[in-house]
Amino acid sequence: FDSRRWFLITIGIAVVFVLFAANAFLAFGSWILFRFGAIRNHTIGRRLLIRYLQQPYAFFLTRNTAALANNVLQEVNQIVSGVVLPSLTLMARGVTILAIVVLLLVTNPLLAGLVTLLLGGVYFLMYRAIRGYVTRIGADRVQANQTRYRAAQEAMSGIKDLRLLGREAAMVGRFAGPSATFAHYEATSRILSVLPRYALEAVAFGSVVFIVLILLATGSDPNEVVPVLGLYAFAGYRLLPAMQQVFGSLTSIRYSLGALDEVHEMVMRVDATQAD
């Protein structure tokens, strides 16, 4: 380069190009991920329906058909959106976090270690605090969902008797309770999955100030502080969303374990019936 100005211009253009390329790659990855999830939702639901239809007629006499339909339609979708896709996101974002942390460790091991422990520690403590509760409401969600499906099916299939007996309000009451419980648990799980983001924004800003204070206290040249600060700001721009997605994926998996257990248990019963 003939001058520093052209060097900075070239670096700036390269950075912009890398940012656009990285975001295009992320967009393509998201498309692949969502398409994979939609196809898995179709294939798993289809295979489960085939297994149900292969059962003898006596199998359906001892099972609630609303629960079977709920497994094919609702719980399979919950497994894909709550376990399969978050597991893939967890692996992808884990690689991103690892790459950023390695970069920071190479630049400044002490500061990188402090920042990683601070941000990672907050997420870890929050996850430890809520994981048991999330697992419990996930199991309760499955029961509430089956109950509301059953009430809706009975209301539609028995509409003649309901009209003759004037029991419409009672049937609505049977549906309203589990439906409200289901809605409450769905909202709670989503809130818990994004809650740390707001706390981490304050922690991240405080970390940047903390980094500046450490660098100045150790006698670093102010001209050297700015590049390091820029690196950490950019790393935080990529690191925080990745860590939030990891936390959200873990929360979603814990919440959806109830649906996975329910479908797995039903499949095992089907296999046992076929064996008999």
Side-chain angles (χ1 to χ4, degrees):
F1 295 95
D2 295 333
S3 65
R4 179 181 297 179
R5 183 168 65 91
W6 282 109
F7 172 75
L8 294 177
I9 290 174
T10 304
I11 292 297
I13 294 174
V15 168
V16 171
F17 174 78
V18 170
L19 285 176
F20 274 97
N23 282 289
F25 180 78
L26 289 175
F28 177 73
S30 297
W31 178 75
I32 293 293
L33 189 67
F34 292 139
R35 186 174 184 274
F36 176 82
I39 294 175
R40 293 288 74 73
N41 192 21
H42 159 68
T43 56
I44 296 174
R46 179 176 176 273
R47 289 168 61 186
L48 186 60
L49 180 61
I50 290 174
R51 298 185 79 155
Y52 283 155
L53 296 180
Q54 291 174 343
Q55 301 309 301
Y57 182 71
F59 172 83
F60 297 94
L61 297 178
T62 58
R63 268 87 176 173
N64 187 279
T65 55
L68 301 181
N70 175 60
N71 287 340
V72 173
L73 298 175
Q74 182 74 23
E75 301 307 336
V76 168
N77 180 68
Q78 183 67 30
I79 291 171
V80 172
S81 62
V83 177
V84 177
L85 293 182
S87 296
L88 297 176
T89 301
L90 185 64
M91 291 186 288
R93 296 300 172 260
V95 172
T96 301
I97 292 173
L98 179 63
I100 294 175
V101 171
V102 169
L103 173 63
L104 296 180
L105 287 173
V106 171
T107 305
N108 192 316
L110 177 60
L111 288 179
L114 291 175
V115 172
T116 302
L117 287 176
L118 180 62
L119 298 181
V122 172
Y123 273 110
F124 176 75
L125 291 176
M126 288 188 174
Y127 176 72
R128 289 273 298 181
I130 69 172
R131 65 176 184 172
Y133 175 71
V134 171
T135 302
R136 182 175 61 81
I137 66 174
D140 292 343
R141 183 206 68 86
V142 173
Q143 299 303 319
N145 197 33
Q146 289 182 352
T147 304
R148 69 174 188 143
Y149 258 78
R150 188 180 302 114
Q153 184 190 50
E154 292 176 359
M156 296 298 103
S157 61
I159 185 63
K160 183 185 297 185
D161 295 334
L162 290 177
R163 288 288 176 84
L164 291 175
L165 299 174
R167 301 286 295 174
E168 295 94 332
M171 183 58 70
V172 171
R174 285 184 55 190
F175 173 83
S179 179
T181 301
F182 176 83
H184 171 70
Y185 288 153
E186 285 286 294
T188 301
S189 69
R190 294 180 185 276
I191 292 171
L192 291 176
S193 66
V194 301
L195 190 61
R197 183 184 67 184
Y198 303 104
L200 260 296
E201 287 180 356
V203 174
F205 178 77
S207 299
V208 172
V209 176
F210 184 63
I211 291 172
V212 174
L213 293 177
I214 289 180
L215 292 175
L216 293 177
T218 55
S220 299
D221 186 351
N223 292 326
E224 297 178 357
V225 172
V226 174
V228 175
L229 185 60
L231 174 64
Y232 275 84
F234 182 76
Y237 169 72
R238 289 295 188 185
L239 188 61
L240 284 177
M243 295 183 70
Q244 177 59 40
Q245 287 183 313
V246 167
F247 181 87
S249 297
L250 289 173
T251 304
S252 176
I253 292 171
R254 298 289 299 191
Y255 180 68
S256 302
L257 286 180
L260 183 62
D261 292 340
E262 176 66 22
V263 173
H264 179 264
E265 181 181 355
M266 184 61 69
V267 170
M268 292 298 100
R269 290 179 184 175
V270 170
D271 290 343
T273 302
Q274 288 178 336
D276 294 339

